[in-house]
Amino acid sequence: MTSIQIPSRIAGPYPRSEEDIAARVKALEALMIEKGILTTEAVDRVSAIYENEVGPQIGARIVAKAWTDPEFKQRLLADATAACRELGAGGLQGEDMLVVENTDTVRHVVVCTLCSCYPWPVLGLPPNWYKYPAYRSRMVREPRVVLREEFGLDVPDSVEIRVWDSSSELRYWVLPQRPAGTDALGEEELARLVTRNSMIGVGDPDRPAS
Amino acid sequence: MTSIQIPSRIAGPYPRSEEDIAARVKALEALMIEKGILTTEAVDRVSAIYENEVGPQIGARIVAKAWTDPEFKQRLLADATAACRELGAGGLQGEDMLVVENTDTVRHVVVCTLCSCYPWPVLGLPPNWYKYPAYRSRMVREPRVVLREEFGLDVPDSVEIRVWDSSSELRYWVLPQRPAGTDALGEEELARLVTRNSMIGVGDPDRPAS
Amino acid sequence: MNGVHDLGGTDGLGPIDPKDDEPAFRSDWEKAVFTMLPATLARGFYNLDQIRFGLEQMPPGDYLTSRYFEHWLYTIESNCIRTGVIDPDELDQRTRHYRLNPDAALPEGGDAAVATLVETVCRMGASARREIEGAPRFSVGTRVRVAADHPYGHTRRARYIRGKTGVIDLVHDAFVYPDAAGNGLGEDPAFVYTVRFDAAELWGPETAAPNSSVCFDVWEPYIQAV
Amino acid sequence: MNGVHDLGGTDGLGPIDPKDDEPAFRSDWEKAVFTMLPATLARGFYNLDQIRFGLEQMPPGDYLTSRYFEHWLYTIESNCIRTGVIDPDELDQRTRHYRLNPDAALPEGGDAAVATLVETVCRMGASARREIEGAPRFSVGTRVRVAADHPYGHTRRARYIRGKTGVIDLVHDAFVYPDAAGNGLGEDPAFVYTVRFDAAELWGPETAAPNSSVCFDVWEPYIQAV
């Protein structure tokens, strides 16, 4: 009485407990170290980059600059990769970026239905919900329901929703609209209003404290 | 535009261990008994039908009759449900049956990609492989590969393969070709050559012992 | 709904590994679950299409990895709860009881008529064939295309035939329409046709098996003449 | 391949339940797995499209229920075994060792250049953009239909856009073609286009969200003008 056997190319059953996985990874790591492919220093340095350095605060800074510098905004929309490089942002999974601009009539939202492509250099590593099946399956099929019920964003039918499925190596992200009542704020204060979700397209920037 | 909510009708995680499942089923059974929907006698009698009485030997008898009685064969191909009733075969999941006949130029094979529909009254309950994802997914997409690699049946490209996906309440099953060298055999001997797989279409009848 | 249950043409599910001589049931619980289906159908708590829709709503990871009668348990349980036949709290409570006392007896007795009714359902069945007014709109040989849209509810329009063109091979009587009955909208019977699709139409000429086709049964509302 | 990874428009996957403030990594093993990707890509054992194809070949039930970095582990491991970088028996043996001795140390030392190389890959990336001869065949505004066939290998043609018609919104440079690179057939770069599909074209007018569309990037061989 076996349940459905699904084959894997990997010898033995696929490990699932935390301890099994940790042992498997450690074994793989050890073999890669012995073969000169990996070092523990590499693991420390790479993970530190995405833990401490690269994250949505980088995208937020770029958005804030675009809100305050019309010429930069023009460059950002024309060639996001080059404009981001001006501010020192770029790298793996952001080699070719495109920024799409929300307006009064169009809202953009980004998904990757086939895997979990995401512009790491400006948004950091994606949150789990972005990577898991529910978001990937539903966002292209029922964007208004997802935005309303899952993200609390009620987009009126008069506003077009354009969903960007990141199926190629182009990495899309969203330039949200500048919130009202922020005329007096400088770039740094504006950047603090820009949320990760607003650059994925599933949220709005925060409003300024009144 | 409503999303389909997976019913979290079932409290807690879905039970998976044999003991958990058995307890769940026993609880459901107990409640149904108390409500007058079920009795243990009903369970015994129904399971006995499909354990001891209804099975592929019924279909085999019908096939053997069709091989030996041209008029019956004609009736079977014209209205399988009525012809099976002549031999006392019929019931749940065989209310409306159709028999498709293998010839030198066409081979038929039956699958149900959407669930596991199967002509119970003539073939019994389906084997596990018929119900599990691999057969259901592959038979419509790569019938020749499946027949050759999984069932050892090498169908030449000159013979058409027609796959019947049981998507409606019509229950299809296959009248295989009578094996060569069986002219001397009577109906009962012939019936012993007819395998379940040959009536699903994934096998040939056995050959007579020489 | 576009569920993982809709397996036609999905890749990656592995070998089939057919076995002979499997028992009809592998445990007592499978017998009980099996019998619950005719028993509850006989009482009209729900219909067979609702049972299928219940199967389709099983969490996809479970659907692909659990055994057949676990699927049945899932849909019988969720349908019984949905229709108020079973109280979920009572079920949980009773489950805990039997989990702690696996050998505790089932309630005794019950009406002898129940076994007779359930046995009769198995032996007689209940056809979904219905008499309707009017004649089938299409005839054998007509080329038809299957609607390509994606309903949320229960449907028997598999994804792999949506938008595809085939030829009507058989014209049947009218049958209960699953897109109505499975969604609690009455029987709304419609004529059924067997449409034959060339493998190349379904999968493209490069990967299609040579000289092969798929016969798929559709209800009249699924198709348009082309 | 038609895998369950191809999730666009699949129903039944449940709520999204977005959380804020998740850590980049939840455990040390996630950090190690994450670093293995740039480390092995830098060495050219396989390419990113082969990594994706490896993800797609994860057993479907596991794919739908395991965590993101388990997917990475699966594809890195299977690609390393496929390309002979790692010996599967050695890996099993070493796994048993660390399972029994979870605190046993990793091998020490190694070339300091490794960390620098891997860090450089992360900071610089490696574009899949390529210079090719010739000009794009299609231009902005052209109506195109996506090929409807079902290849067995790696492809970025999601099932929900196959056979569907849309309008080219953006014309990009040429990029490595995943249907070649992911299947070990070289880079074969081709022009990429963003095609915009009306929601009603994708899902049918009854269930499509009003006033909405999906922008999907296709490589030139995926499309034909209509």
Side-chain angles (χ1 to χ4, degrees), chain C residues 10-49:
Chain C
T10 303
D11 297 321
L13 276 314
I16 294 166
D17 196 18
K19 300 261 190 307
D20 272 333
D21 299 323
E22 292 170 304
F25 307 102
R26 302 180 176 227
S27 63
D28 284 342
W29 72 257
E30 291 193 351
K31 297 181 190 180
V33 168
F34 181 82
T35 308
M36 288 174 189
L37 186 74
T40 51
L41 286 176
R43 294 286 293 270
F45 300 131
Y46 37 74
N47 61 48
L48 192 56
D49 294 303

Side-chain angles (χ1 to χ4, degrees), chain B residues 39-171:
Chain B
T39 58
T40 55
E41 192 201 345
V43 174
D44 292 342
R45 272 166 63 184
V46 164
S47 51
I49 293 175
Y50 295 96
E51 283 188 309
N52 309 322
E53 191 180 320
V54 171
Q57 73 284 356
I58 294 179
R61 202 156 48 88
I62 295 165
V63 167
K65 188 169 174 64
W67 283 345
T68 53
D69 178 343
E71 287 184 6
F72 177 77
K73 177 177 160 183
Q74 214 172 348
R75 294 200 298 280
L76 182 69
L77 294 174
D79 183 346
T81 317
C84 291
R85 280 270 173 227
E86 290 179 30
L87 301 188
L92 205 58
Q93 286 299 303
E95 295 90 345
D96 297 281
M97 293 187 279
L98 269 100
V99 169
V100 287
E101 183 188 15
N102 280 352
T103 68
D104 288 342
T105 55
V106 183
R107 274 199 86 103
H108 302 279
V109 56
V110 178
V111 65
C112 174
T113 62
L114 291 168
C115 46
S116 309
C117 295
Y118 192 78
W120 297 355
V122 291
L123 296 190
L125 299 187
N128 273 324
W129 59 260
Y130 183 90
K131 300 178 286 192
Y132 284 169
Y135 181 76
R136 290 167 49 197
S137 61
R138 294 176 58 193
M139 185 45 94
V140 290
R141 172 140 158 83
E142 45 180 18
R144 290 181 189 273
V145 174
V146 167
L147 290 178
R148 186 174 60 245
E149 293 182 3
E150 302 279 354
F151 294 96
L153 205 63
D154 209 344
V155 182
D157 284 1
S158 58
V159 174
E160 182 189 341
I161 295 181
R162 217 170 278 183
V163 181
W164 295 78
D165 191 346
S166 309
S167 54
S168 79
E169 296 300 347
L170 298 164
R171 293 290 161 269

Side-chain angles (χ1 to χ4, degrees), chain A residues 73-142:
Chain A
K73 176 177 160 183
Q74 214 171 349
R75 295 198 298 280
L76 183 69
L77 295 174
D79 183 346
T81 317
C84 290
R85 280 268 175 231
E86 290 179 30
L87 302 188
L92 205 59
Q93 286 298 304
E95 294 90 346
D96 297 282
M97 293 187 278
L98 268 101
V99 168
V100 287
E101 183 188 13
N102 279 352
T103 67
D104 287 343
T105 54
V106 184
R107 275 199 86 104
H108 303 279
V109 56
V110 178
V111 65
C112 174
T113 62
L114 291 167
C115 46
S116 309
C117 295
Y118 191 77
W120 296 356
V122 291
L123 297 189
L125 299 187
N128 274 324
W129 59 260
Y130 183 89
K131 300 179 287 193
Y132 284 169
Y135 181 76
R136 290 168 47 197
S137 61
R138 293 175 60 193
M139 184 46 92
V140 290
R141 173 138 157 84
E142 45 180 16

Side-chain angles (χ1 to χ4, degrees), chain B residues 1-7 9-12 14-51 53-54 81 85 90-93 95-98 105 112-117 120 125-129 131-138 140-144 146 150-151 156-172 196-197, chain C residues 5-11 13-20 22 24-27 29 31-36 38-40 43 45 48-49 52-53 57-58 62-68 70 72-74 76-78 80-82 85-86 90-92 94-95 98-99 102-104 106-107 109-111 114-116 118-119 121-129 152 156 158 160 169-170 172 175 192 194 196 203 207 209-217 219:
Chain B
M1 191 174 63
T2 53
S3 76
I4 294 272
Q5 283 301 320
I6 293 251
R9 293 167 192 149
I10 297 173
Y14 193 66
R16 297 303 289 270
S17 84
E18 195 67 11
E19 293 76 16
D20 285 341
I21 296 171
R24 190 74 168 178
V25 172
K26 204 164 183 181
L28 195 54
E29 195 178 355
L31 294 176
M32 286 188 179
I33 290 170
E34 288 171 7
K35 286 171 203 300
I37 302 165
L38 200 66
T39 58
T40 55
E41 192 201 345
V43 174
D44 292 342
R45 272 166 63 184
V46 164
S47 51
I49 293 175
Y50 295 96
E51 283 188 309
E53 191 180 320
V54 171
T81 317
R85 280 270 173 227
L92 205 58
Q93 286 299 303
E95 295 90 345
D96 297 281
M97 293 187 279
L98 269 100
T105 55
C112 174
T113 62
L114 291 168
C115 46
S116 309
C117 295
W120 297 355
L125 299 187
N128 273 324
W129 59 260
K131 300 178 286 192
Y132 284 169
Y135 181 76
R136 290 167 49 197
S137 61
R138 294 176 58 193
V140 290
R141 172 140 158 83
E142 45 180 18
R144 290 181 189 273
V146 167
E150 302 279 354
F151 294 96
D157 284 1
S158 58
V159 174
E160 182 189 341
I161 295 181
R162 217 170 278 183
V163 181
W164 295 78
D165 191 346
S166 309
S167 54
S168 79
E169 296 300 347
L170 298 164
R171 293 290 161 269
Y172 296 94
R196 177 196 62 195
N197 283 10
Chain C
H5 72 278
D6 185 355
L7 281 163
T10 303
D11 297 321
L13 276 314
I16 294 166
D17 196 18
K19 300 261 190 307
D20 272 333
E22 292 170 304
F25 307 102
R26 302 180 176 227
S27 63
W29 72 257
K31 297 181 190 180
V33 168
F34 181 82
T35 308
M36 288 174 189
T40 51
R43 294 286 293 270
F45 300 131
L48 192 56
D49 294 303
R52 292 207 182 94
F53 194 31
Q57 292 175 79
M58 193 169 185
D62 288 337
Y63 187 93
L64 292 173
T65 56
S66 60
R67 286 165 297 170
Y68 180 61
E70 291 182 65
W72 279 42
L73 171 60
Y74 183 88
I76 290 169
E77 186 178 321
S78 60
C80 280
I81 291 171
R82 180 179 63 78
V85 173
I86 297 291
E90 211 176 350
L91 179 59
D92 284 344
R94 200 67 70 97
T95 301
Y98 283 119
R99 187 70 182 82
D103 297 324
L106 285 164
D111 189 347
V114 168
T116 306
V118 178
E119 183 174 347
V121 170
C122 293
R123 294 197 183 280
M124 302 308 293
S127 176
R129 192 187 296 257
Y152 279 111
R156 298 293 280 182
Y160 80 93
D169 249 20
L170 299 169
H172 306 286
F175 286 79
V192 169
T194 299
R196 186 145 54 93
W203 315 113
T207 59
N211 197 16
S212 70
S213 57
V214 174
C215 293
F216 194 101
D217 288 346
W219 282 257

Side-chain angles (χ1 to χ4, degrees), chain A residues 9-10 14 16 18 20 24 26 34 45 53 95-96 128 141 144 157 163 165 167-169, chain D residues 26 29 52 62 67 70 77 92 94 99 102 104 119 123 126-127 129 156 160 210 215 217:
Chain A
R9 301 183 153 185
I10 297 171
Y14 192 68
R16 296 305 290 269
E18 194 67 10
D20 286 341
R24 190 75 169 177
K26 205 165 182 181
E34 288 171 8
R45 272 166 61 185
E53 192 180 320
E95 294 90 346
D96 297 282
N128 274 324
R141 173 138 157 84
R144 289 179 189 276
D157 284 0
V163 181
D165 191 345
S167 54
S168 78
E169 295 300 349
Chain D
R26 304 185 174 223
W29 72 258
R52 291 206 182 94
D62 288 337
R67 286 165 296 170
E70 291 183 66
E77 187 179 323
D92 284 345
R94 201 68 69 98
R99 188 70 181 83
E119 182 174 348
R123 293 198 185 279
S127 177
R129 192 188 298 256
R156 298 292 280 182
Y160 80 92
C215 293
D217 288 347

